[in-house]
Amino acid sequence: MAVKELSDGIFEVQKSGKSFLATKNAVPGSAVYGERLVEMEGDEYRIWDARRSKLAAMVLKKMKVPIKSDSRVLYLGAASGTTVSHVSDMLTDGIVYAVEFSPRTMRELIQLCDTRSNIIPILADANHPTSYAHIVEQVDVVFQDVAQPNQAQIAAVNCEQFLKGDGYLLLSIKARSIDTVASPAKIFKEEIKKLEKEFETRFQVLNKQDLAPFHEDHLGLIAQMITR
Ligand SMILES: C[S@@+](CC[C@H](N)C(=O)[O-])C[C@H]1O[C@@H](n2cnc3c(N)ncnc32)[C@H](O)[C@@H]1O
């Protein structure tokens, strides 16, 4: 049995000859979505399944996740908080602003916030960042997983409003929410072109990886804003 920290708050746990991705449970004894809890060296870890999380898939694809323990993170497309809960574990001294526009899903997310004070739930449409500008401060990272055809535009308006000068955008691009017929490779190329156009020259792609086999037809992308 061994535990290794891969980056701030993200761990590889080895148990019974197998290795798992995990985060240290901020609420020991409590699972969020039925994930396994394992005790290692006096701490409790929550196993993080890459098939249920684009962010976990990015980590397993060796993408360097720029989230630090004290980061401010704006998370667009929070759903009921599967991935947000792991981000919450990682942010021992930070905050995640979790935006979701489905009221039904938001009810589950709010329950999660009862025990995790570093998640700020926001019921809003990510197309309209001014509607939550009174709640969200300037952030170090924008993470987006909204699966919408206009995701490049959504990323751009939110980064414009909230992302610090040299902050990072982490984006999950779902090919099939943009075009159901064209090849994913062609769609991803066009989406990156759209992002470059939206962000003009202030945007530098650091890494992009196909998230298969964890998520078919999804591209994970990490970009950094360039301070003018
Ligand atoms: C693929 S799911 C996100 C899963 C989640 N990121 C996770 O890993 O636990 C996409 C979510 O984005 C939400 N969504 C889609 N468009 C949105 C928008 N314009 N504003 C806010 N949320 C949106 C959907 O309601 C859905 O819950």
Side-chain angles (χ1 to χ4, degrees):
M1 293 214 304
V3 56
K4 181 172 140 198
E5 189 161 18
L6 301 176
S7 66
D8 263 28
I10 302 179
F11 298 85
E12 183 184 83
V13 168
Q14 288 181 350
K15 204 169 170 120
S16 315
K18 286 190 180 165
S19 82
F20 302 92
L21 202 61
T23 56
K24 205 181 274 186
N25 197 353
V27 188
S30 168
V32 174
Y33 53 94
E35 73 282 11
R36 260 179 76 194
L37 306 179
V38 293
E39 201 74 31
M40 301 285 287
E41 299 167 9
D43 286 308
E44 186 178 278
Y45 293 84
R46 299 170 52 229
I47 302 301
W48 192 11
D49 184 353
R51 289 179 197 277
R52 298 191 62 167
S53 170
K54 316 301 168 1
L55 185 57
M58 288 183 190
V59 176
L60 290 188
K61 285 283 176 165
K62 307 269 183 269
M63 298 176 80
K64 199 171 171 295
V65 170
I67 298 176
K68 306 278 171 228
S69 58
D70 61 352
S71 291
R72 301 289 184 261
V73 177
L74 174 61
Y75 191 117
L76 306 170
S80 54
T82 300
T83 300
V84 169
S85 68
H86 288 284
V87 175
S88 159
D89 281 346
M90 291 158 63
L91 299 174
T92 50
D93 201 21
I95 285 182
V96 53
Y97 297 95
V99 177
E100 172 54 54
F101 75 173
S102 155
R104 192 187 58 79
T105 314
M106 175 53 72
R107 278 199 284 276
E108 289 176 48
L109 184 66
I110 286 172
Q111 279 176 15
L112 181 65
C113 301
D114 283 348
T115 51
R116 291 174 174 267
S117 58
N118 64 356
I119 306 174
I120 312 293
I122 299 170
L123 178 64
D125 184 340
N127 282 289
H128 305 296
T130 46
S131 69
Y132 43 93
H134 59 295
I135 304 171
V136 180
E137 61 194 316
Q138 289 289 290
V139 298
D140 306 286
V141 176
V142 171
F143 179 89
Q144 180 176 309
D145 181 19
V146 292
Q148 291 288 347
N150 67 332
Q151 53 202 337
Q153 201 186 1
I154 293 177
V157 290
N158 280 276
C159 291
E160 190 63 44
Q161 181 108 28
F162 301 112
L163 193 57
K164 286 181 185 169
D166 54 355
Y168 296 89
L169 167 67
L170 275 66
L171 191 59
S172 160
I173 302 173
K174 183 180 178 183
R176 294 291 164 241
S177 62
I178 294 160
D179 190 320
T180 51
V181 192
S183 83
K186 183 164 176 265
I187 296 168
F188 295 148
K189 221 172 175 180
E190 281 168 9
E191 279 306 294
I192 290 171
K193 264 197 215 147
K194 275 190 221 165
L195 286 164
E196 282 165 349
K197 194 166 166 228
E198 291 282 355
F199 288 100
E200 299 167 355
T201 53
R202 296 188 304 121
F203 173 82
Q204 189 192 3
V205 176
L206 301 180
N207 199 347
K208 52 184 190 323
Q209 297 291 332
D210 190 329
L211 298 183
F214 309 110
H215 301 271
E216 295 298 333
D217 298 340
H218 281 74
L219 185 79
L221 179 142
I222 300 183
Q224 186 170 24
M225 296 301 122
I226 299 164
T227 315
R228 272 194 279 222

